[in-house]
Amino acid sequence: MSALPDESGHFGRFGGRMMPEALMAALDELTAAWQDAMADPGFTGELERMLREYAGTPSLLYDATKLSEVAGARILLKREDLNHTGAHKIRNVLGQALLTKRMGKTRVIAETGAGQHGVATATACAYLGLDCVVYMGEVDTERQALNVARMHLLGAEVVAVKSGSRTLKDAINEAIRDWVTNVDHTAYVFGTAAGPHPFPAMVRDFVRGIGDETREQSMELLGRLPDAVVACVGGGSNAIGMFETFIDEPSVRLYGFEAGGEGVDTLRHAATIWQHDTGVLHGARTYVLQDEDGQTVESHSISAGLDYPGVGPEHAWLAETGRAEYRPITDARAMDAMALLSRTEGIIPAIESAHAVAGAMDLAEELGPDAVIVVNLSGRGDKDMGTAIEWFGLGATRPDGTAGAGPDEAAGEGSGEVQL
Amino acid sequence: MSGSTRPVFEAARAEGRAALVGYLPAGFPDVPGSVDAMRTMVENGCDVIEVGLPYSDPVMDGPTIQRAAQTALEGGVRTADVLRTVEAVAATGAKVVVMTYWNPVERYGVERFAADLASAGGSGLITPDLVPDEASEWVAAADKHDLDKIFLVAPSSTDERLAMTTAACRGFVYATAVMGVTGARESTSSLAEPLVARVREVTDLPIGVGLGVSTGDQAADVGRYADGVIVGSAFVRRLLDAGDDRRTGLESLAALTRELADGVRRAR
């Protein structure tokens, strides 16, 4: 078990509570309620039951033999994409929503970028009978109208945030403003393992089943632990969920893959750890994309779920201590990996998760044919078909009526891994 | 040349009134415009000026101040401009503090910021998203450079946190009158007076009350029990409403300052 964070919520020099005093009592209350709940078999048992019966966990650990052949090492996929709502996020929101009920609060707020955490939160609130308000940048509500409709259908209210850059970070700002105002009856269900203490540790607790299951499934399948576990990193919840179990297992290497966007030399990326600038954002000291004056810089990634200018403080600490290694993967390489996994295994990954697949291809080469690499396939790609259509030029019919271009014909840039 | 804000509150108390503290973001509508505006506020009765450092992610601010800060950032305001603004306003003889979210200070360098703020004639710093629990570096730099450390207390603060926070303050204590973000409100909060009473139990420091005050009557009401009345959004609103007509904006700002200054004098 990791001894961090310390009592004040720090992972080394990262983390903490860089938040207004008005929220301190609520953060203390939440910390106490979470620690109390995690020690109560009544709570953990009920959460476990919900995860099993409703969310469909444990997720499969799938031996991706065809992808492995291409990669040159054995690759196992942790199939979080098969969970209810199509991603690992359901683990976090069920945990936080059940905790909200336990605390006697009736109203939930959440932020969302592309809408995945918003949909997951709306789902948990529908399931548990909680009022739900989701803050979403106005730009994102336009780009992700389908997810807005999903949230509406699930009974949630969606507020289009018009301030700042009108994207995820501004949605978080607005949710914090709501929380400051309504904190007595409102819980903030945060979408990633970032923010002020206790969120990074609490979210980690709720998603660490990913790694715990992987350990058990690896022992069953291989009789040993994998050589490496890999995950994509935006805020970092799916990655910390995979890593946590293995932090104290020195034989297991930990790799996080950040969104390199159009390239880390272009400024249009979301590779926060790669950029390595310490700062304070949304309640924690961590690495932050910022300008010379400490103003937050807009991130860029083709994958909305990784498009965030901060990162969870535990990842900052794991990077600084060298326990985990973080690398950027460009948009183009992620899209190649999306096509590759679709063609080899018949699994369409979320573009977020495709960053991890691309990273695993590199690792396979580095670690060699005897290596076993577990990729956290954190989400499914249905939500990304709009992006895929545009990127690959999919779906266009030819004048002669034959099928349109596939990725191997259309994907001009990238590593060429899709040419099968 | 700088020195603590505390004597200002004590002098006001000796006159049987509350002090008037006025906030504007530096660089709004532009750097010279904000200096003119702050000087106007001093000339018409503000005892202390809070110079806001515009920040990209102002989680404690409502729409009015967000808009002004955004305008300032789009206009290219830099941290160095904020310090120049402090210098220009402090030259009037008024006490000047900077109100800032924490990341720009950390990025500038905490020690360097404290040194430059002191040499610009600033009296200290109000830190809305930095609590004393996380402030050891700032406390050391502030003490070294003889600066006020103004932390916030809220209606939700426990007695334990009120004691801890006020013990870390120098200058005055900033009491947030409402649970919520900055912005003018119809009536003053019923949470403010009990909060001030609780703060007085644990400290002798002057107490300024902010969030929501926009009229002379509200200032009079708050001035009954607080040592300072802090006004922000209402000033910003006057400038926003005047648009490009700077002269009208300054006149409107002057009129509001006089109304509020009269309010804090009617209090007791």
Side-chain angles (χ1 to χ4, degrees), chain A residues 291-315:
Chain A
D291 70 12
E292 284 173 51
D293 280 354
Q295 308 288 346
T296 310
V297 168
E298 273 183 63
S299 54
H300 166 81
S301 169
I302 193 165
S303 150
L306 303 183
D307 199 353
Y308 178 61
V311 67
E314 189 167 3
H315 286 296

Side-chain angles (χ1 to χ4, degrees), chain A residues 25-342:
Chain A
L27 291 167
D28 277 337
E29 181 196 10
L30 180 61
T31 304
W34 154 63
Q35 285 169 346
D36 183 67
M38 296 309 281
D40 175 3
F43 177 85
T44 53
E46 174 62 3
L47 180 56
E48 171 68 28
R49 186 197 65 76
M50 283 161 48
L51 285 169
R52 194 178 58 245
E53 294 177 7
Y54 180 68
T57 69
S59 62
L60 299 172
L61 185 66
Y62 168 71
D63 203 349
T65 53
K66 284 149 287 187
L67 181 68
S68 299
E69 243 171 73
V70 182
R74 188 167 179 187
I75 296 185
L76 308 177
L77 302 176
K78 181 61 175 161
R79 296 291 308 275
E80 289 291 297
D81 60 314
L82 297 177
N83 297 345
H84 183 40
T85 71
H88 73 287
K89 286 178 181 288
I90 192 74
R91 297 180 189 259
N92 173 35
V93 294
L94 284 178
Q96 289 197 55
L98 190 63
L99 186 60
T100 301
K101 292 274 277 197
R102 181 184 171 96
M103 293 172 75
K105 301 200 176 195
T106 53
R107 178 174 178 266
V108 159
I109 55 171
E111 83 293 345
T112 197
Q116 294 308 108
H117 174 61
V119 169
T121 305
T123 300
C125 288
Y127 179 67
L128 290 169
L130 294 162
D131 293 334
C132 182
V133 177
V134 178
Y135 289 94
M136 189 170 183
E138 189 179 43
V139 171
D140 293 326
T141 60
E142 288 158 9
R143 292 194 287 210
Q144 303 287 342
L146 197 59
N147 272 340
V148 175
R150 283 196 181 103
M151 290 183 266
H152 283 156
L153 192 58
L154 289 159
E157 182 190 337
V158 181
V159 178
V161 176
K162 296 175 167 64
S163 57
S165 59
R166 299 180 294 140
T167 58
L168 174 60
K169 78 174 180 67
D170 307 286
I172 294 175
N173 294 342
E174 204 58 33
I176 292 172
R177 292 179 189 119
D178 179 314
W179 204 32
V180 171
T181 309
N182 300 300
V183 67
D184 54 331
H185 64 284
T186 297
Y188 184 3
V189 172
F190 201 60
T192 189
H197 180 63
F199 286 105
M202 181 175 73
V203 171
R204 177 190 75 193
D205 270 9
F206 289 142
V207 295
R208 66 166 294 155
I210 300 168
D212 291 345
E213 291 165 19
T214 296
R215 167 198 269 282
E216 201 171 305
Q217 291 163 328
S218 296
M219 292 309 289
E220 223 165 86
L221 184 70
L222 312 164
R224 68 174 181 95
L225 297 177
D227 298 295
V229 297
V230 314
C232 62
V233 179
S237 68
N238 91 83
I240 210 68
M242 176 59 91
F243 290 177
E244 191 61 20
T245 316
F246 300 108
I247 287 177
D248 294 333
E249 294 287 356
S251 72
V252 182
R253 303 183 195 205
L254 314 177
Y255 292 94
F257 293 98
E258 298 189 289
E262 293 173 9
V264 288
D265 49 349
T266 65
L267 296 177
R268 284 181 53 80
H269 66 81
T272 314
I273 296 173
W274 183 89
Q275 190 74 38
H276 219 75
D277 278 341
T278 304
V280 170
L281 180 64
H282 295 142
R285 180 170 290 105
T286 184
Y287 294 124
V288 178
L289 296 182
Q290 55 188 316
D291 70 12
E292 284 173 51
D293 280 354
Q295 308 288 346
T296 310
V297 168
E298 273 183 63
S299 54
H300 166 81
S301 169
I302 193 165
S303 150
L306 303 183
D307 199 353
Y308 178 61
V311 67
E314 189 167 3
H315 286 296
W317 175 74
L318 289 171
E320 188 168 81
T321 58
R323 178 61 191 94
E325 190 182 321
Y326 298 84
R327 301 176 181 180
I329 295 288
T330 60
D331 289 348
R333 292 212 53 213
M335 294 308 287
D336 282 355
M338 183 192 203
L340 175 69
L341 189 63
S342 302

Side-chain angles (χ1 to χ4, degrees), chain B residues 25-31 54 66-78:
Chain B
F28 172 75
D30 52 29
V31 174
Q66 281 178 45
R67 200 171 134 198
Q70 182 83 15
T71 303
L73 287 172
E74 283 165 6
V77 72
R78 304 286 309 264

Side-chain angles (χ1 to χ4, degrees), chain A residues 393-404:
Chain A
L394 304 174
T397 48
R398 291 172 176 153
D400 63 1
T402 60

Side-chain angles (χ1 to χ4, degrees), chain B residues 34-45:
Chain B
S34 65
V35 170
D36 288 345
M38 291 177 204
R39 283 181 173 150
T40 300
M41 287 157 67
V42 172
E43 283 159 15
N44 287 277

